[in-house]
């Protein structure tokens, strides 16, 4: 009962390529989030979603696109990856006032 | 704008010594404060939140509105406390369901 799963866990890509990070939850939580984790910056919110078909920008949305056609899935797409997007990406849901995180996706852009 | 400041990127203490991880915040209003922890090879998880006033794994944190602080404390550190700790804030201005995180403090407990 993983609850929230991310894939892939590790990804290496090249500048300019499109990359999609997947996030799936089994709880039917309304809110889902994407954060990136970088040394010196901590966790920064990229995008979030309040429900299916409702998404909104966070602190650092530039260069990213999200969608939420189903409650359980919240994919994050880098349309044209840049080196500055090398990071660890965390998906999260919120339930009972608490955030539940996935295991993270480590993305390297060469 | 909201801000969460964790002044120490790295903190090392000896086993059995007291530990305090500092967190200061800036927010106009009444925020909700949290501590999240990430142990090696594990997911980020909630450690405690100020409204519950609990002690989790021996850790406590008191919200001091006068000093706008939410420091995390433990009287006797254990090796298993070594982890990355994030202070986080939630409130009306962040979006009711969004958390705004500090930059984190990596705690190392020396045996």
């Amino acid at each position: 009962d993983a609850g929230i799963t991310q894939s892939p866990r590790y990804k290496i890509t090249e500048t300019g390529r499109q990359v999609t990070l997947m996030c799936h939850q089994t709880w039917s939580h309304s809110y889902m989030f994407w954060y990136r984790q970088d040394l010196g910056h901590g966790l920064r919110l990229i995008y979030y979603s309040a429900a299916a078909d409702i998404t909104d920008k966070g602190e650092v949305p530039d260069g990213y696109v999200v969608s939420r056609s189903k409650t359980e899935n919240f994919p994050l797409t880098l349309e044209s990856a840049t080196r500055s997007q090398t990071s660890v990406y965390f998906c999260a849901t919120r339930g009972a006032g608490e955030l539940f995180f996935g295991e993270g996706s480590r993305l390297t852009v060469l | 704008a909201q801000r969460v400041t964790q002044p120490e990127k790295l903190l090392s203490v000896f086993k059995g010594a007291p530990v305090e991880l500092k967190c200061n915040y800036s927010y106009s209003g009444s925020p909700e404060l949290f501590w999240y922890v990430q142990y090696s090879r594990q997911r980020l998880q909630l450690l405690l939140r100020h409204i519950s006033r609990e002690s989790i794994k021996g850790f406590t944190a008191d919200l001091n509105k006068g000093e706008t602080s939410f420091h995390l404390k433990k009287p006797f550190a254990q090796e298993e406390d070594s982890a990355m700790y994030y202070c986080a804030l939630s409130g009306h201005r962040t979006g009711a369901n969004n958390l705004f995180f500090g930059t984190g403090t990596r705690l190392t407990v020396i045996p």
Side-chain angles (χ1 to χ4, degrees), chain A residues 61-80:
Chain A
D62 293 343
Y64 303 95
V65 174
V66 293
S67 62
R68 187 131 178 243
S69 57
K70 292 183 179 181
T71 300
E72 60 266 31
N73 296 323
F74 190 40
L76 176 74
T77 298
L78 290 68
E79 293 191 306
S80 179

Side-chain angles (χ1 to χ4, degrees), chain A residues 3-75:
Chain A
I4 179 167
T5 54
Q6 293 182 232
S7 63
R9 295 287 314 284
Y10 302 91
K11 176 75 176 178
I12 300 174
T13 191
E14 294 178 336
T15 303
R17 290 193 181 260
Q18 183 179 80
V19 176
T20 296
L21 305 180
M22 305 300 293
C23 178
H24 176 79
Q25 60 142 333
T26 59
W27 293 308
S28 298
H29 287 162
S30 295
Y31 277 84
M32 295 187 75
F33 308 84
W34 274 106
Y35 288 89
R36 59 178 289 174
Q37 182 186 43
D38 303 287
L39 270 176
H41 292 281
L43 286 157
R44 292 179 292 176
L45 182 64
I46 304 170
Y47 268 96
Y48 67 99
S49 169
D53 297 322
I54 301 175
T55 62
D56 210 344
K57 295 178 180 179
E59 188 185 354
V60 289
D62 293 343
Y64 303 95
V65 174
V66 293
S67 62
R68 187 131 178 243
S69 57
K70 292 183 179 181
T71 300
E72 60 266 31
N73 296 323
F74 190 40

